[in-house]
Amino acid sequence: MHPPPSAAAMDFSQNSLFGYTEDLQELTIIERPVRRSLKTPEEIERLTVDEDLGDIERAVYLLSAGQDIQGTSVIANLPFLMRQNPAETLRRVLPKVREVLHVAGVEMQLTAAVSFLTILQEESVSIHTYAHSFLQIILLHLEHRDAGVSNAWLETLLSVIEVLPKETLRHEILNPLVSKAQLSQTVQSRLVSCKILGKLTNKFDAHTIKREILPLVKSLCQDVEYEVRSCMCRQLENIAQGIGTDLTKSVVLPELIELSRDEGCSVRLAAFETLVNLLDVFDTDDRSQTILPLVKSFCEKSFKADESILISLSFHLGKLCHGLYGIFTPDQHLRFLEFYKKLCTLGLQQENGLNENQIPPQILEQEKKYISVRKNCAYNLPAMIVFVDPKNFQLELYSTFFCLCHDPEVPVRYTIAICFYEVSKLLNSGVYLIHKELITLLQDESLEVLDALIDHLPEILELMSTGGESSIQENKLPSLPDLIPALTAAEQRAAASLKWRTHEKLLQKYACLPHIISSDQIYYRFLQRMFTIMMTNKVLPVQKAASRTLCIFLRYNRKQEQRLEVIQKLIEQLGQGKSYWNRLRFLDTCEFIIELFSKSFFCKYFFLPVIELTHDPVANVRMKLCYLLPKVKSTLKIPEDKHLLQQLEMCVRKLLCQEKDKDVLAIVKRTVLELDRMEMSMDAEQLEKEKQQDGRPVNEKTFEKKRRDIKTPTALPKSIPTAVPGTSSSTPSASKEIKKSKLIRSQSINNQAFHAKYGNLDKCASKTSTAAYTSSASALAKTSMISLTDDSFRTRNASSLPPSFSPNTPLPSTSRGTGNSVDPKSSGGKDPPPRKATLKSRKSNP
């Protein structure tokens, strides 16, 4: 780090001082508009409105005596007024709006056009009322002198035409249109007439169109102004859809042929694009005898014409070849293919060795148009593959595809990346031909190209791995050794950039890799990277994407040693990490594990580490855990996981009684209610074994009764086992446990006075929460809120509990600072709540 320059080193020359003076003058100029924008007291007084006025009165006042900005605000608020009081708005406000719009500026006119359209879309009034009140205002401003205002009102009118009845359209729009389309009217009026005619053809029958609309169409197609002819030509597609095939062939096609030979370049271009869009309407004879010669002549003259024609031609070439497919002679087929190849390299041969600053502006503009042409060629590549047949791709189009993938311009490579999946599907078994191009695009220096490619990356890789066939092969991409380095390099480039959404998307797409490459390759090349992202990346969506992908990698890994190592890392580095941020990500990971893995897997490896976070010192971690607890409980099966249910209830009870953070406590209470409403899943086989041990046959009624009774509320330990399954002690039957739980529930309710008396032994979060908890004990019992375990339960069950699950034994836990795995027998001891010892001693001395 360099020290600041000394005073002697500073430049105080005359030139330097003049530079400082100029800078100060620039700052003064910048501040001047700010000073001018301040309102004087007189202006503030004129802008002030009586607060007691209603919405309608205020709107009328502002439109009558307010300034332009206030009137614009009223017009922008017109849809709201129509929703609140349509009758008064139409009677009092709308006439004022009509008066103001006569002298309104551009901003107010644009606002009015948008508000009128919004009122139409919201259906605030009936169509008849809307036409009576708003239509004349719209028609009045169609020919506004400002082109932007005129177009805004025209868009509103075209939307209104969609819903108006035929009679209204005929009298209010079609009849006046006859005079508006005459040569005596302005060019703008005739342009508006062209667009209205294109919209009206779908609203009338063929007879009306032929008698009243088509004469106007022909007149405008032969207008003296090329702008009008071009505009009318682009509306011929809509007109053809409204008049049917016969009239299209007899009326529209002759006009298109004539317009395609027009002296105006824009008119010829409009005629060409309309012909391409109407190819499906014409039969084979029309296409071969009339349209094909026109298209052929158009293509031959395109290189001599303006580059804008080449842009349009390159964009429509795929559709053109598809529409004329089957009528080409072999020679014509080859000519169109060569024409396409020529367009794909247009502008690449003109390397002049000059930098951008040395190139003349007209050359730069021409190069931009050439880039658009090559981009359109990349867009049409799938259609051209169909045109030549995918079997001939290697011979006819591979070199062109290679050039497009290596094009020096990003927009071209971006477009080919978007089309890559379509190309892969078309090639099918020949997809191996484009393996190298996939690697090239994955390694592209532009993240835009990578972002476009990874949208369909799983599908592309699947096609690559199966050779285009539907059946999945066991050997996974043996012929593509560069894939893994390209994928890892792509992820690192995305991680080093500021485009985190691309990074997130790429990590999400990596979830397909278990179907593409081996688990060992994933383990050694991708798994540790997912850990690193989860622990070091600063963007939450990226961390979550890495977490979910890691869980999917773990899901498909069949090597027990590797799975256990990953699980241990998750618990030690995240669940027991020093950073609370890592512990939050551990909870996110556990949520994904619940989603992707079996219930028994989660209970075996992650249940205890999760509930251990109830002791976390950070409130945000405890809060997130509370949100996760219902999903945690859903993984339990009764009676197999009765001991885990007991652990969960003890943790929730501790949270409820000892939580000091009011936000966490509120969430805990809501979570308790949600836990209580949950219905526990049953292990049917285990229930059947228990009943058989009791010597009773299994029938539907007892099974259903058992299912209902096992809907265990978290508030009271109704079905807490007296022994951990798998020990030498005998397991009591389900029915005995249910009777016992009912007895416990009744005793707990009767002993509420005892709980209130000794409630201070819980060391709850605050005196207020303790008092509230004690006073509402009855309500909590009725709603199955968590209450403290009563004496009778402890006396009755203490003798049958094994040492590791006795009432005074703490939860199995692991110290966050150590690397030991969770072990109930060797867990560090936490002091049991003082209340438990007191309750036990009180019971021993009745």
Side-chain angles (χ1 to χ4, degrees), residues 109-121:
Q109 289 276 354
L110 294 174
T111 304
V114 173
S115 294
F116 282 25
L117 181 59
T118 303
I119 294 170
L120 174 71
Q121 294 170 342

Side-chain angles (χ1 to χ4, degrees), residues 626-807:
C626 291
Y627 286 121
L628 186 62
L629 285 179
K631 292 185 178 180
V632 171
K633 184 178 179 180
S634 68
T635 63
L636 300 177
K637 291 184 178 180
I638 298 299
E640 180 182 354
D641 298 322
K642 289 183 289 188
H643 62 294
L644 296 180
L645 178 62
Q646 181 184 12
Q647 302 286 345
L648 176 63
E649 291 175 346
M650 291 173 65
C651 290
V652 176
R653 184 183 303 115
K654 184 174 181 180
L655 275 175
L656 188 64
C657 296
Q658 298 184 0
E659 181 57 56
K660 297 180 180 179
D661 189 281
K662 62 179 182 179
D663 297 325
V664 178
L665 184 61
I667 296 172
V668 170
K669 292 180 179 180
R670 291 200 301 267
T671 303
V672 166
L673 296 176
E674 185 176 353
L675 290 173
D676 182 61
R677 288 192 295 266
M678 291 180 61
E679 185 172 350
M680 299 291 295
S681 59
M682 297 183 303
D683 190 341
E685 295 182 1
Q686 184 68 23
L687 290 176
E688 184 176 354
K689 290 180 181 179
E690 291 183 2
K691 292 179 180 180
Q692 289 177 353
Q693 290 176 358
D694 291 342
R696 291 175 293 174
V698 180
N699 55 61
E700 292 294 332
K701 292 183 179 180
T702 56
F703 186 85
E704 180 64 21
K705 183 176 184 299
K706 178 73 175 186
R707 188 193 67 80
R708 290 195 305 267
D709 290 338
I710 287 183
K711 183 179 179 181
T712 311
T714 312
L716 294 173
K718 297 172 70 173
S719 58
I720 294 179
T722 56
V724 179
T727 59
S728 58
S729 61
S730 60
T731 305
S733 64
S735 60
K736 293 180 180 179
E737 290 179 7
I738 295 171
K739 294 178 181 178
K740 183 188 300 181
S741 65
K742 293 180 178 178
L743 179 60
I744 292 170
R745 186 179 182 91
S746 63
Q747 290 175 341
S748 177
I749 296 174
N750 293 332
N751 290 335
Q752 288 170 7
F754 173 80
H755 292 309
K757 181 177 180 180
Y758 292 95
N760 59 339
L761 297 178
D762 282 332
K763 297 181 180 180
C764 294
S766 63
K767 294 182 179 181
T768 304
S769 60
T770 305
Y773 175 74
T774 307
S775 62
S776 60
S778 177
L780 292 177
K782 293 180 181 179
T783 58
S784 298
M785 291 285 287
I786 293 185
S787 61
L788 299 175
T789 310
D790 53 275
D791 304 17
S792 60
F793 173 76
R794 297 192 177 279
T795 304
R796 187 176 302 173
N797 295 320
S799 60
S800 60
L801 284 173
S804 60
F805 290 96
S806 62

Side-chain angles (χ1 to χ4, degrees), residues 48 55 91 244 286 301 325 436 524 555 653 796 828:
T48 303
D55 292 337
R91 187 176 69 87
D286 291 329
K301 297 177 181 179
Y325 187 80
K436 293 181 180 179
Y524 291 110
R555 173 72 176 81
R653 184 183 303 115
R796 187 176 302 173

Side-chain angles (χ1 to χ4, degrees), residues 465 473-478 516:
S465 65
Q473 301 173 356
E474 290 298 327
N475 52 340
K476 299 182 176 180
L477 286 183
I516 310 300

